[in-house]
Amino acid sequence: MKYIDKLRNSGLRPTKQRLQICEVLFNTEKTFHFTINELEQKIKDKIDNKISLATVYNTVHAFEKKGYLKQIPINSNQTYFDTNVTDHHHFYDLKNEKLIDLENSDVGPINIKRKINGKKIKSVEVLIKLED
Amino acid sequence: MKYIDKLRNSGLRPTKQRLQICEVLFNTEKTFHFTINELEQKIKDKIDNKISLATVYNTVHAFEKKGYLKQIPINSNQTYFDTNVTDHHHFYDLKNEKLIDLENSDVGPINIKRKINGKKIKSVEVLIKLED
DNA sequence: CACTTGTTTAGAATCATTATAAACAAGACT
DNA sequence: AGTCTTGTTTATAATGATTCTAAACAAGTG
Protein backbone atom coordinates (compact mmCIF):
# COMPACT_ATOMS: atom_id res chain seq x y z
CA MET A 1 0.00 0.00 0.00
CA LYS A 2 0.92 3.64 -0.09
CA TYR A 3 2.87 3.80 3.15
CA ILE A 4 4.67 0.51 2.59
CA ASP A 5 6.20 1.82 -0.58
CA LYS A 6 6.90 5.20 0.95
CA LEU A 7 8.87 3.60 3.74
CA ARG A 8 10.64 1.05 1.60
CA ASN A 9 11.67 3.68 -0.89
CA SER A 10 13.52 5.53 1.82
CA GLY A 11 15.19 2.48 3.29
CA LEU A 12 12.91 2.11 6.28
CA ARG A 13 11.36 -1.29 6.89
CA PRO A 14 7.60 -1.01 6.88
CA THR A 15 6.92 -2.33 10.33
CA LYS A 16 3.50 -2.49 11.91
CA GLN A 17 4.35 0.38 14.24
CA ARG A 18 5.65 2.65 11.51
CA LEU A 19 2.63 2.01 9.33
CA GLN A 20 0.31 2.84 12.19
CA ILE A 21 2.19 6.04 12.91
CA CYS A 22 1.97 6.87 9.21
CA GLU A 23 -1.79 6.52 9.41
CA VAL A 24 -1.97 8.97 12.28
CA LEU A 25 0.43 11.45 10.73
CA PHE A 26 -0.33 11.38 7.05
CA ASN A 27 -3.79 9.95 6.52
CA THR A 28 -5.48 13.32 6.99
CA GLU A 29 -6.56 16.06 4.69
CA LYS A 30 -4.90 18.84 6.62
CA THR A 31 -1.36 19.02 7.85
CA PHE A 32 -0.83 19.72 11.52
CA HIS A 33 1.63 20.53 14.29
CA PHE A 34 2.35 18.25 17.19
CA THR A 35 4.64 17.41 20.05
CA ILE A 36 5.74 13.86 20.77
CA ASN A 37 3.34 13.66 23.69
CA GLU A 38 0.42 14.84 21.61
CA LEU A 39 1.29 12.29 18.98
CA GLU A 40 1.49 9.53 21.56
CA GLN A 41 -1.98 10.46 22.76
CA LYS A 42 -3.33 10.47 19.21
CA ILE A 43 -1.84 7.03 18.61
CA LYS A 44 -3.44 5.71 21.78
CA ASP A 45 -6.82 7.01 20.66
CA LYS A 46 -6.56 5.59 17.18
CA ILE A 47 -5.12 2.10 17.65
CA ASP A 48 -5.61 -0.57 20.29
CA ASN A 49 -2.13 -2.01 20.56
CA LYS A 50 0.54 -0.07 22.37
CA ILE A 51 3.51 1.57 20.72
CA SER A 52 6.42 2.22 23.00
CA LEU A 53 7.39 5.84 23.59
CA ALA A 54 10.92 5.04 22.41
CA THR A 55 9.50 3.84 19.12
CA VAL A 56 7.51 7.01 18.70
CA TYR A 57 10.67 9.03 19.19
CA ASN A 58 12.67 6.78 16.87
CA THR A 59 10.03 6.92 14.18
CA VAL A 60 9.51 10.65 14.32
CA HIS A 61 13.24 11.22 14.05
CA ALA A 62 13.55 8.72 11.22
CA PHE A 63 10.72 10.46 9.39
CA GLU A 64 12.29 13.84 10.00
CA LYS A 65 15.59 12.63 8.59
CA LYS A 66 13.81 11.34 5.50
CA GLY A 67 11.94 14.59 5.08
CA TYR A 68 8.45 13.39 5.98
CA LEU A 69 8.32 15.67 8.99
CA LYS A 70 10.09 18.75 10.07
CA GLN A 71 10.85 20.47 13.30
CA ILE A 72 9.39 23.89 13.90
CA PRO A 73 11.83 26.36 15.40
CA ILE A 74 9.93 27.61 18.41
CA ASN A 75 11.13 27.98 21.95
CA SER A 76 9.12 25.63 24.02
CA ASN A 77 9.97 22.97 26.52
CA GLN A 78 8.80 20.40 24.01
CA THR A 79 9.87 20.00 20.40
CA TYR A 80 7.23 20.83 17.81
CA PHE A 81 6.93 18.96 14.55
CA ASP A 82 4.98 19.74 11.42
CA THR A 83 3.54 17.33 8.89
CA ASN A 84 3.69 20.15 6.39
CA VAL A 85 7.23 19.77 5.07
CA THR A 86 6.97 22.31 2.31
CA ASP A 87 8.78 25.57 2.90
CA HIS A 88 6.33 27.69 4.75
CA HIS A 89 6.17 30.25 7.47
CA HIS A 90 4.36 30.69 10.73
CA PHE A 91 2.48 33.19 12.74
CA TYR A 92 3.02 32.71 16.43
CA ASP A 93 0.31 34.14 18.61
CA LEU A 94 2.13 35.18 21.75
CA LYS A 95 -1.01 35.40 23.83
CA ASN A 96 -2.40 31.94 23.14
CA GLU A 97 0.98 30.37 22.36
CA LYS A 98 -0.53 28.99 19.16
CA LEU A 99 1.13 28.46 15.81
CA ILE A 100 -0.68 29.32 12.61
CA ASP A 101 0.50 28.12 9.21
CA LEU A 102 1.02 30.59 6.44
CA GLU A 103 0.63 29.71 2.80
CA ASN A 104 3.74 30.27 0.80
CA SER A 105 1.87 32.89 -1.13
CA ASP A 106 1.21 34.79 2.08
CA VAL A 107 4.81 35.96 2.23
CA GLY A 108 6.62 37.59 -0.64
CA PRO A 109 9.96 36.26 -1.88
CA ILE A 110 12.82 36.55 0.57
CA ASN A 111 16.11 37.79 -0.71
CA ILE A 112 19.16 36.65 1.27
CA LYS A 113 22.08 38.80 0.22
CA ARG A 114 24.81 37.42 2.39
CA LYS A 115 26.68 34.14 1.83
CA ILE A 116 28.74 32.03 4.20
CA ASN A 117 31.73 30.29 2.65
CA GLY A 118 31.25 26.58 2.13
CA LYS A 119 27.69 26.58 3.43
CA LYS A 120 24.46 26.10 1.56
CA ILE A 121 21.08 27.40 2.54
CA LYS A 122 18.95 24.49 3.65
CA SER A 123 15.82 26.39 4.61
CA VAL A 124 14.46 29.87 5.10
CA GLU A 125 11.74 30.24 7.64
CA VAL A 126 9.95 33.28 8.88
CA LEU A 127 8.39 33.50 12.29
CA ILE A 128 5.96 36.36 12.71
CA LYS A 129 5.05 37.08 16.28
CA LEU A 130 1.59 38.45 16.88
CA GLU A 131 0.28 40.53 19.73
CA ASP A 132 -3.09 42.06 20.47
CA MET B 1 26.20 52.86 38.37
CA LYS B 2 24.73 52.55 34.91
CA TYR B 3 23.43 49.08 35.65
CA ILE B 4 22.15 50.02 39.09
CA ASP B 5 19.75 52.51 37.56
CA LYS B 6 18.84 50.17 34.77
CA LEU B 7 17.85 47.50 37.25
CA ARG B 8 16.11 49.80 39.68
CA ASN B 9 14.13 51.38 36.89
CA SER B 10 12.64 48.05 36.01
CA GLY B 11 11.87 47.05 39.57
CA LEU B 12 14.79 44.71 40.05
CA ARG B 13 17.00 45.15 43.09
CA PRO B 14 20.56 45.81 42.02
CA THR B 15 22.24 42.93 43.81
CA LYS B 16 25.89 42.07 43.51
CA GLN B 17 25.10 39.02 41.39
CA ARG B 18 22.86 40.87 38.97
CA LEU B 19 25.37 43.66 38.52
CA GLN B 20 28.10 41.15 37.78
CA ILE B 21 25.90 39.38 35.27
CA CYS B 22 25.14 42.76 33.69
CA GLU B 23 28.85 43.35 33.28
CA VAL B 24 29.26 40.07 31.46
CA LEU B 25 26.19 40.53 29.29
CA PHE B 26 26.12 44.19 28.46
CA ASN B 27 29.57 45.66 29.02
CA THR B 28 30.76 44.71 25.55
CA GLU B 29 30.87 46.44 22.23
CA LYS B 30 29.26 43.61 20.31
CA THR B 31 26.09 41.79 21.11
CA PHE B 32 26.29 38.01 21.33
CA HIS B 33 24.37 34.77 21.68
CA PHE B 34 24.66 32.40 24.56
CA THR B 35 23.21 29.46 26.36
CA ILE B 36 22.92 29.41 30.12
CA ASN B 37 25.89 27.09 30.35
CA GLU B 38 28.04 29.30 28.18
CA LEU B 39 27.06 32.28 30.29
CA GLU B 40 27.93 30.44 33.48
CA GLN B 41 31.38 29.69 32.08
CA LYS B 42 31.87 33.31 31.08
CA ILE B 43 30.90 34.43 34.57
CA LYS B 44 33.36 32.00 36.11
CA ASP B 45 36.13 33.36 33.91
CA LYS B 46 35.38 37.00 34.64
CA ILE B 47 34.67 37.11 38.36
CA ASP B 48 36.18 35.30 41.32
CA ASN B 49 33.14 34.74 43.49
CA LYS B 50 30.68 32.07 42.54
CA ILE B 51 27.16 32.72 41.30
CA SER B 52 24.77 29.86 41.75
CA LEU B 53 23.34 28.29 38.62
CA ALA B 54 19.83 28.96 39.90
CA THR B 55 20.65 32.65 40.13
CA VAL B 56 21.93 32.68 36.58
CA TYR B 57 18.64 31.16 35.43
CA ASN B 58 16.61 33.55 37.56
CA THR B 59 18.50 36.57 36.34
CA VAL B 60 18.39 35.65 32.67
CA HIS B 61 14.65 35.10 32.88
CA ALA B 62 14.15 38.34 34.77
CA PHE B 63 16.17 40.21 32.15
CA GLU B 64 14.25 38.56 29.36
CA LYS B 65 10.96 39.61 30.93
CA LYS B 66 12.21 43.18 31.15
CA GLY B 67 13.35 43.15 27.54
CA TYR B 68 17.11 43.21 28.14
CA LEU B 69 17.53 39.81 26.54
CA LYS B 70 15.54 37.77 24.14
CA GLN B 71 15.20 34.14 23.38
CA ILE B 72 16.15 32.97 19.94
CA PRO B 73 13.68 30.51 18.48
CA ILE B 74 15.77 27.58 17.32
CA ASN B 75 15.43 23.93 18.11
CA SER B 76 18.29 22.89 20.27
CA ASN B 77 18.53 21.00 23.50
CA GLN B 78 19.55 24.24 25.15
CA THR B 79 17.79 27.58 25.04
CA TYR B 80 19.62 30.33 23.21
CA PHE B 81 19.54 33.95 24.26
CA ASP B 82 20.62 37.08 22.47
CA THR B 83 21.84 40.34 23.92
CA ASN B 84 20.76 42.00 20.69
CA VAL B 85 17.12 42.70 21.41
CA THR B 86 16.43 44.57 18.18
CA ASP B 87 14.59 42.76 15.42
CA HIS B 88 17.12 40.91 13.30
CA HIS B 89 17.65 37.68 11.43
CA HIS B 90 19.93 34.69 11.88
CA PHE B 91 21.86 32.06 10.07
CA TYR B 92 21.98 28.80 11.96
CA ASP B 93 24.82 26.49 11.09
CA LEU B 94 23.37 23.04 11.64
CA LYS B 95 26.77 21.34 11.77
CA ASN B 96 28.40 23.48 14.43
CA GLU B 97 25.14 24.50 16.05
CA LYS B 98 26.27 28.10 15.80
CA LEU B 99 24.15 31.17 15.26
CA ILE B 100 25.32 34.02 13.05
CA ASP B 101 23.70 37.44 13.15
CA LEU B 102 22.55 39.03 9.96
CA GLU B 103 22.45 42.72 9.39
CA ASN B 104 19.02 43.99 8.58
CA SER B 105 20.36 44.98 5.17
CA ASP B 106 21.38 41.35 4.48
CA VAL B 107 17.77 40.39 3.93
CA GLY B 108 15.47 42.14 1.52
CA PRO B 109 12.13 43.54 2.65
CA ILE B 110 9.62 40.92 3.74
CA ASN B 111 6.09 41.33 2.59
CA ILE B 112 3.47 39.73 4.83
CA LYS B 113 0.23 39.61 2.90
CA ARG B 114 -2.03 37.88 5.37
CA LYS B 115 -3.66 39.48 8.40
CA ILE B 116 -5.14 37.92 11.51
CA ASN B 117 -8.14 39.72 12.91
CA GLY B 118 -7.41 41.72 16.03
CA LYS B 119 -3.71 40.88 15.99
CA LYS B 120 -0.77 43.09 15.26
CA ILE B 121 2.60 42.01 13.97
CA LYS B 122 5.10 42.38 16.75
CA SER B 123 8.18 41.05 14.98
CA VAL B 124 9.25 39.35 11.80
CA GLU B 125 12.31 37.19 12.07
CA VAL B 126 13.95 34.92 9.56
CA LEU B 127 15.94 31.84 10.46
CA ILE B 128 18.12 30.53 7.66
CA LYS B 129 19.49 27.06 8.25
CA LEU B 130 22.85 26.27 6.73
CA GLU B 131 24.32 22.92 5.78
CA ASP B 132 27.60 21.92 4.13
C1' DC C 1 18.20 48.65 64.54
C1' DA C 2 14.11 46.10 63.37
C1' DC C 3 11.05 44.80 59.79
C1' DT C 4 9.46 43.47 55.34
C1' DT C 5 10.16 41.83 51.09
C1' DG C 6 13.00 40.31 47.36
C1' DT C 7 17.05 37.42 46.20
C1' DT C 8 20.43 33.82 46.44
C1' DT C 9 21.72 29.28 47.21
C1' DA C 10 22.51 24.16 47.25
C1' DG C 11 20.36 20.52 46.43
C1' DA C 12 16.34 17.89 45.06
C1' DA C 13 12.75 17.21 41.75
C1' DT C 14 10.87 17.29 37.16
C1' DC C 15 10.44 16.21 32.59
C1' DA C 16 11.69 15.67 27.72
C1' DT C 17 14.75 13.12 25.36
C1' DT C 18 18.39 9.58 24.46
C1' DA C 19 20.97 5.35 25.36
C1' DT C 20 21.04 0.39 26.47
C1' DA C 21 20.72 -4.16 25.51
C1' DA C 22 17.72 -7.94 25.04
C1' DA C 23 13.74 -9.71 22.47
C1' DC C 24 11.74 -9.62 18.13
C1' DA C 25 10.56 -9.13 13.11
C1' DA C 26 11.73 -8.32 8.04
C1' DG C 27 13.96 -9.51 4.10
C1' DA C 28 17.01 -12.51 1.60
C1' DC C 29 18.61 -16.92 0.63
C1' DT C 30 18.53 -21.87 0.18
C1' DA D 1 9.35 -24.35 5.18
C1' DG D 2 14.14 -22.94 7.93
C1' DT D 3 18.28 -20.15 8.70
C1' DC D 4 20.84 -16.03 8.74
C1' DT D 5 21.63 -11.21 8.93
C1' DT D 6 20.34 -6.90 9.93
C1' DG D 7 17.03 -3.52 11.36
C1' DT D 8 13.42 -2.52 14.80
C1' DT D 9 10.93 -2.50 19.07
C1' DT D 10 10.68 -2.42 23.84
C1' DA D 11 11.06 -1.48 28.82
C1' DT D 12 13.90 0.58 31.54
C1' DA D 13 17.75 3.31 32.92
C1' DA D 14 20.45 7.29 32.20
C1' DT D 15 21.13 12.00 30.86
C1' DG D 16 20.79 16.72 31.05
C1' DA D 17 18.50 21.17 30.96
C1' DT D 18 15.49 23.52 33.62
C1' DT D 19 12.52 24.44 37.65
C1' DC D 20 11.29 23.96 42.47
C1' DT D 21 12.08 24.20 47.48
C1' DA D 22 12.92 26.17 51.58
C1' DA D 23 16.36 28.12 54.34
C1' DA D 24 19.87 31.73 54.61
C1' DC D 25 20.76 36.20 53.22
C1' DA D 26 20.62 41.08 51.58
C1' DA D 27 18.18 45.47 50.14
C1' DG D 28 15.27 48.99 51.12
C1' DT D 29 12.28 51.43 54.45
C1' DG D 30 11.25 53.62 58.57
Side-chain angles (χ1 to χ4, degrees):
Chain A
M1 327 237 240
K2 51 181 172 178
Y3 298 127
I4 291 180
D5 291 339
K6 178 174 182 157
L7 292 175
R8 230 182 236 122
N9 287 341
S10 44
L12 297 172
R13 286 188 185 167
T15 63
K16 190 178 88 179
Q17 291 87 343
R18 283 176 178 162
L19 290 170
Q20 288 178 327
I21 293 175
C22 276
E23 287 293 330
V24 175
L25 288 177
F26 306 123
N27 195 19
T28 56
E29 206 164 320
K30 287 181 189 170
T31 59
F32 61 95
H33 311 129
F34 64 91
T35 63
I36 296 286
N37 285 333
E38 289 166 357
L39 177 58
E40 221 207 347
Q41 196 50 57
K42 238 176 182 159
I43 290 168
K44 265 187 203 142
D45 295 346
K46 250 195 169 169
I47 67 180
D48 28 303
N49 57 308
K50 186 180 182 291
I51 295 181
S52 143
L53 180 59
T55 299
V56 178
Y57 272 98
N58 288 341
T59 302
V60 165
H61 287 141
F63 286 2
E64 194 209 353
K65 209 169 205 166
K66 297 301 179 183
Y68 302 148
L69 291 173
K70 69 174 184 182
Q71 264 188 265
I72 305 173
I74 274 286
N75 284 117
S76 162
N77 54 330
Q78 288 180 78
T79 305
Y80 271 82
F81 292 91
D82 198 334
T83 66
N84 180 356
V85 294
T86 67
D87 260 6
H88 68 287
H89 312 297
H90 292 101
F91 280 137
Y92 185 61
D93 187 334
L94 290 164
K95 195 178 186 184
N96 313 327
E97 295 189 342
K98 283 273 172 271
L99 273 174
I100 303 165
D101 265 357
L102 284 170
E103 301 294 323
N104 224 14
S105 59
D106 288 332
V107 177
I110 295 167
N111 180 17
I112 313 293
K113 297 170 184 168
R114 184 162 156 212
K115 304 258 178 268
I116 301 285
N117 249 344
K119 301 285 177 184
K120 284 186 308 199
I121 289 176
K122 193 191 176 197
S123 67
V124 176
E125 297 188 274
V126 181
L127 181 66
I128 302 146
K129 289 187 182 158
L130 298 176
E131 62 187 348
D132 289 324
Chain B
M1 304 285 136
K2 52 179 171 179
Y3 298 127
I4 290 180
D5 292 338
K6 178 175 183 158
L7 292 174
R8 230 183 236 123
N9 286 339
S10 43
L12 298 172
R13 287 190 185 167
T15 63
K16 188 179 90 179
Q17 291 87 342
R18 282 175 178 163
L19 290 171
Q20 289 178 326
I21 293 174
C22 276
E23 286 293 329
V24 174
L25 289 177
F26 307 122
N27 194 20
T28 56
E29 205 164 321
K30 288 182 187 169
T31 60
F32 60 96
H33 312 127
F34 63 92
T35 62
I36 297 285
N37 285 332
E38 288 166 356
L39 177 58
E40 221 208 346
Q41 195 52 57
K42 235 175 185 161
I43 291 167
K44 265 186 203 145
D45 294 347
K46 249 194 169 169
I47 67 180
D48 29 301
N49 56 310
K50 187 179 182 290
I51 295 181
S52 143
L53 181 57
T55 299
V56 178
Y57 272 98
N58 287 342
T59 303
V60 165
H61 288 142
F63 286 2
E64 194 209 352
K65 208 169 207 167
K66 297 301 179 183
Y68 302 148
L69 291 173
K70 69 175 185 181
Q71 261 188 271
I72 304 172
I74 51 163
N75 286 117
S76 163
N77 56 330
Q78 290 180 76
T79 304
Y80 273 82
F81 293 90
D82 198 335
T83 64
N84 180 356
V85 293
T86 68
D87 266 4
H88 65 288
H89 311 299
H90 291 102
F91 280 136
Y92 183 59
D93 187 334
L94 291 164
K95 196 179 186 184
N96 314 327
E97 296 189 341
K98 283 272 171 274
L99 275 172
I100 303 165
D101 265 357
L102 284 170
E103 300 295 322
N104 250 353
S105 59
D106 290 332
V107 177
I110 295 167
N111 180 18
I112 313 293
K113 297 170 184 168
R114 187 164 156 212
K115 303 256 180 265
I116 302 284
N117 248 344
K119 300 285 177 183
K120 283 185 307 197
I121 289 176
K122 192 191 176 198
S123 65
V124 176
E125 295 191 274
V126 181
L127 180 66
I128 301 146
K129 288 185 183 161
L130 297 178
E131 62 187 348
D132 289 324

